[in-house]
Structure formats: structure tokens, C-alpha cells
Amino acid sequence: MDFSTKSLDAKNAVTAVKTGALVVGIHENRKLTKAAAALDKLGAISAALKSGDISGKPGSTLLLRGVTGIAAERIVLLGLGAEDDISDKNFAAAAQALVRTLATLGCDDAALALPFSGIKGRDLAWAIRNVVLAGRDFTYRSDALKSKKDPAPTGVKKVTFLTSADNAAAAKTALAEAVALANGMALTKELGNLPGNVCTPTYLANTAKKLAKDYKLGVEVLDRKQLEALKMGSFLSVTNGSEQPPKFIVLKHMGGKAKDAPIVLVGKGITFDTGGISLKPGLNMDEMKYDMCGAASVLGTFRAIAELGLKLNVIGVIPTCENMPSGRATKPGDIVTSMSGQTIEVLNTDAEGRLILCDALTYVERFKPAAVIDIATLTGACIVALGHHNSGLFTREDEAHDRLADELLAAGRATGDTAWRMPVQDVYQEQLKSNFADIANIGGQPAGSVTAACFLERFTRKYTWAHLDIAGTAWKSGAAKGASGRPVPLLTTYLLNQARAAKPARA
């Protein structure tokens, strides 16, 4: 779907809007929204409500044709729930129903005259973003590698948001941000859904290069020899069993002032995770192609902020490789030396994400970052703790880290891409003690997601840092199997908020 905005005023009333389908809201108990009342000159909408053809419950819809006194060919009535409390949940349900209904119509365009500013606890930007993401998600297809493509979406192709003249500028900005976010999520989904024999470390590197070319970003891809020169022994230990060459991707969006410290996003890029010598069970192992969703979310976020020309310095760092078993693979009990100089006893080769991230987290010290956020499908234990609703957010406990955590949590709440803060405390470090090295790479079953974060924390003490464990939120299983595009909304909104905060106030 393509989206646009249009403002209405006294001279350009909703009754004069020429479109294939004009969407207006109605409430429960036969209540009309302002736009619906303006179209009800001869009582056609009121009659439909009185007949019981539509209830007004969230997501209920009714199509009316041939309504006199208006320029639109059709009216779509969309239920929004109670008049005095349009909740975000009810509006989201209505948006989902709306895009399904628009796909059934025989027209190419539609206009939405909905109370975008009347949603409890939400603003115009939230409402527009919700509709755009619902529309783009409905039309998304994961059939790139099918010889016979899935049926293409039919119905409405162009959607216009109708707003007041006072909200015209805000609506235009909100729409641009929503479309950029949808584009970023689409890239993240596409990368996540590709199989491991296609989406290799080299494929991710080439994707980063294409982004850099398309949006004039800085890019650097380090290969094995350069990683060896940097003494990234921990990262390289994960690659030992694979035929695919490792890549270390550095992507730069320097939209802020030259002197401004960058925000760094670090994405885990295990393009396929067998577990290595600590081999995973065969059931559902195909889903381990999603173990690069942290990397995909960094690339998707860069797609979004680059499209917006965000006035902020952001650097993306992606260590990427496969984790495979072979005669060369790292063995349980092996000890490796990280870039930081800390030695690590590898007790379980399936705890490999932290082994590649720790060297990346050391590498980013050179950027003197304002903040570092790593994103990783790191632990199944996080799914046990939080399920598939919230990503796990881990930070140290002090003023700077509390502020970073609050900003990330707020960005998640604003977009519905929510996270939940988990502890990072020294008491958990005891579980990572090794008799033979500085640290073990696992701390046992108790608090597995916490000890994984505590492992990473040891490599982040020179800057403000947060860790997002997205193992439960990056993809869906079962009949709806596919990458979700999370946490691109959270990350993009966080960066947008940082850019706005950095912008000097007008005199």
C-alpha cells in the first residue's frame, strides 16, 4: 500500500472527498464520530446502525454504497468501541480489520477520516504508524524463493489520511517516519526469513554495502585476517567449524555534528546456529536461521534512519558467522582469548552469541560512544522468563544506565515493541567463574538470560551499555512462522527521540 496525507477545512469538507472508499468511525451504542455525522445528511449511516447491521465494536465493519450527497463512491463504517475511551488496543484491532476490508474492495484508493487524535494515551503519530504498519504487514509476502508466487494482494493500493489543517504538518512528518519504519522492518523480515544457505555472512556484508551505496553511508567489512590482527580470538573460535568466511561489518550513519559521540548498535549475526559440537536437537533446528535477527534489526534500523536523514551519529557493528560442527570446530572445554585479553573457557559451544558479541563490544570502545546497545537472539532462557511478548532489557544499575533503560522502555511502549528490564548484578557473576580461565561462557541453568547478560557486561565497562535479548520476539513459530521485524520499531523510535532531544530549541 502507498500512503499520503490530506488536510480538510471548511472549503474542503469530508463530504467533498473524491475517493473509491471513504472510511469513517462509529462507536458502540449507535454513536457516530464527527466525520460519520457529517456524512449522515440523509440518515443512511444512522439507519444502518439502527438496523443492527454493524455493532460499533472494535474491528466491526460495514460497506455502504450509493450514499447521496457525498463525492465518495463507497463508505466503510469502522467500529472503534466505546465513544469516551478509544483505547490503543481497540484502535489497533480496528486497523487490522480495516486493512483486511480494504483488500476486498473493487477500488484502487481509499481515504481515512478517523479520530486519529482521539485515542486514549496516544497521539496522531501513533495512530498513523499503527495503520501503516498494519497495512504493510498485511501485504508482506515471504515468497521470494518460491517458484510459484503467493497470490498478490488485491483491492485498495493507495490510502490517504484525512486530517485537520492544524495537524497537516504533524501528519506529514508522522507518515514519513511510519513509512521509513515499515521499510526498515520489511528489510529485517526479508533477511530473517532467508535460509542459511542464502543469507550467509557474505550476504549480510553485501546487504550493508548496498545500504551504504543507496544512502551514502560509511561501510567497512573486516575479513578473517583483519580479525586475527585485532586478536578477536573469541569471535574467531565460533567460526572454526564453518566453511563460510566470517565478516565483521561496520556501518556508519553520521548525520549529527562531527564532535557528537555516536550511538552504537551491535547486532548478533549467527546466520545459522547448529550449536556446534554442543549440537542442538534436530526438532525445529531450521529456525536457527533466525539467529541473525539481531544483525537484521540493525540493518533494518539503518534503512529507516537513513531514509529519514536522521540528524544523529549512529554506528552499526555486526559480527557475523556460522556456528557449525566439524573436525576444526571449537570443543567444550577449549579456552580462547578475547580481544580484551580476557580468557574464556567454552563450556558449551551453543552459547556462541556471547562469544562473538564480546569482541564486538570491545571493538566499539574506539568510537568513544555515547551509548552502546547490543541486540541478540541470545538465550532460550529469556523466552522462559518473558515469553514472546517482551524483549529482555539488561543494563547496569546507576544513573546513566537507568536513563538509557528508561529511554529504551519508553520507545518500546510508544510503538508496542515492548521490553522488560531484567537485572545485571555482581551476585550473578559468581556463576561464571572458571577454574581454568578468567570466565566461563555459561553459568548453568538458573537465571540463564541474566548470566548471559552479565557475561557481556564484563566487556562494556568503558561506556554506557544496554543489551536486548530478542530470542522470544524476533520471529514467530508454527503456522505464522516468520521474522517479526522487532525490535526495529523500538530502536528507530529511540534514535528519533535522541535526535529530537539533541536538536536545539528555536529562538
Side-chain angles (χ1 to χ4, degrees):
M1 289 181 179
D2 292 327
F3 298 90
S4 62
T5 63
K6 181 178 181 180
S7 61
L8 298 178
D9 52 32
K11 295 181 180 179
N12 186 23
V14 67
T15 54
V17 175
K18 293 182 179 180
T19 182
L22 181 58
V23 181
V24 294
I26 61 168
H27 299 291
E28 293 174 341
N29 299 323
R30 301 176 182 176
K31 299 291 184 178
L32 305 181
T33 60
K34 185 177 179 180
L39 298 177
D40 196 35
K41 291 183 177 181
L42 299 180
I45 297 176
S46 296
L49 294 177
K50 290 178 182 178
S51 70
D53 288 342
I54 183 169
S55 66
K57 291 183 179 180
S60 57
T61 60
L62 181 66
L63 177 66
L64 301 178
R65 292 185 60 92
V67 178
T68 58
I70 66 171
E73 296 174 13
R74 305 166 182 79
I75 293 177
V76 176
L77 304 181
L78 179 65
L80 299 174
E83 179 182 15
D84 58 350
D85 185 16
I86 305 178
S87 68
D88 55 1
K89 181 180 178 181
N90 286 350
F91 188 86
Q96 296 286 341
L98 170 63
V99 297
R100 291 194 298 269
T101 298
L102 294 182
T104 68
L105 301 183
C107 56
D108 290 330
D109 67 298
L112 312 183
L114 298 171
F116 299 115
S117 299
I119 303 162
K120 186 176 181 180
R122 301 294 189 178
D123 59 10
L124 172 72
W126 180 91
I128 289 176
R129 181 173 61 239
N130 200 279
V131 174
V132 169
L133 293 185
R136 289 289 295 275
D137 186 62
F138 182 80
T139 57
Y140 175 78
R141 295 293 183 272
S142 56
D143 59 359
L145 299 181
K146 291 184 177 182
S147 59
K148 184 177 181 180
K149 304 301 181 185
D150 295 336
T154 58
V156 171
K157 303 293 190 300
K158 299 178 181 179
V159 176
T160 301
F161 293 91
L162 302 177
T163 66
S164 67
D166 292 341
N167 285 332
K172 186 176 180 180
T173 298
L175 180 58
E177 293 177 356
V179 170
L181 175 57
N183 290 337
M185 292 181 70
L187 175 59
T188 296
K189 289 179 182 179
E190 288 163 9
L191 292 171
N193 288 333
L194 287 173
N197 63 321
V198 174
C199 188
T200 62
T202 300
Y203 189 97
L204 288 181
N206 289 338
T207 300
K209 290 177 181 178
K210 186 177 187 304
L211 276 177
K213 181 179 179 181
D214 291 345
Y215 294 99
K216 296 180 173 58
L217 307 176
V219 68
E220 184 179 11
V221 178
L222 308 183
D223 58 21
R224 182 182 292 276
K225 288 185 178 180
Q226 291 165 297
L227 302 177
E228 289 172 347
L230 289 166
K231 298 182 179 179
M232 290 191 181
S234 184
F235 175 26
L236 290 171
S237 73
V238 179
T239 76
N240 286 345
S242 174
E243 297 295 329
Q244 290 289 337
K247 301 293 179 181
F248 192 91
I249 304 163
V250 181
L251 199 57
K252 295 182 178 180
H253 170 94
M254 307 305 281
K257 297 177 182 178
K259 66 177 182 179
D260 290 347
I263 294 172
V264 181
L265 306 180
V266 180
K268 173 186 170 185
I270 300 293
T271 56
F272 195 83
D273 181 21
T274 66
I277 297 299
S278 304
L279 193 67
K280 292 177 179 291
L283 184 65
N284 298 327
M285 194 197 284
D286 65 288
E287 295 188 4
M288 288 302 97
K289 70 179 184 178
Y290 294 117
D291 212 16
M292 41 60 69
C293 281
S297 70
V298 171
L299 293 170
T301 300
F302 266 76
R303 170 72 170 80
I305 65 173
E307 181 177 324
L308 292 170
L310 193 67
K311 302 298 184 183
L312 195 70
N313 293 335
V314 187
I315 297 176
V317 173
I318 298 171
T320 175
C321 65
E322 290 182 335
N323 184 24
M324 300 288 285
S326 78
R328 300 188 308 273
T330 297
K331 305 174 294 299
D334 285 358
I335 294 176
V336 300
T337 303
S338 67
M339 184 182 179
S340 70
Q342 297 178 72
T343 58
I344 304 166
E345 184 181 13
V346 182
L347 296 179
N348 189 320
T349 64
D350 193 24
E352 85 298 328
R354 64 202 75 182
L355 295 177
I356 72 170
L357 288 172
C358 71
D359 279 347
L361 292 170
T362 299
Y363 181 88
V364 304
E365 291 174 5
R366 65 190 58 203
F367 301 125
K368 296 180 172 55
V372 176
I373 304 160
D374 77 72
I375 309 101
T377 50
L378 203 66
T379 65
C382 196
I383 304 175
V384 175
L386 298 176
H388 299 283
H389 303 291
N390 288 292
S391 298
L393 171 63
F394 300 79
T395 62
R396 288 186 283 272
E397 297 176 2
D398 57 44
E399 184 177 353
H401 286 86
D402 290 346
R403 186 183 310 113
L404 175 59
D406 289 344
E407 290 167 345
L408 290 168
L409 292 171
R413 288 192 296 269
T415 58
D417 184 10
T418 54
W420 191 266
R421 190 173 182 182
M422 304 281 277
V424 174
Q425 298 169 341
D426 287 343
V427 65
Y428 292 100
Q429 296 283 3
E430 294 295 313
Q431 293 175 230
L432 294 169
K433 283 187 173 180
S434 166
N435 289 346
F436 309 107
D438 296 327
I439 185 175
N441 79 322
I442 59 170
Q445 189 176 32
S449 62
V450 177
T451 55
C454 287
F455 177 97
L456 296 177
E457 188 271 340
R458 292 193 180 209
F459 302 85
T460 66
R461 293 175 181 174
K462 294 185 179 180
Y463 47 75
T464 304
W465 156 84
H467 160 59
L468 283 171
D469 192 330
I470 60 170
T473 57
W475 79 91
K476 298 177 181 179
S477 300
K481 183 186 290 186
S484 67
R486 295 178 67 182
V488 174
L490 184 158
L491 294 170
T492 302
T493 301
Y494 164 77
L495 294 173
L496 283 167
N497 291 342
Q498 295 302 303
R500 292 187 182 108
K503 187 177 181 180
R506 293 182 179 178

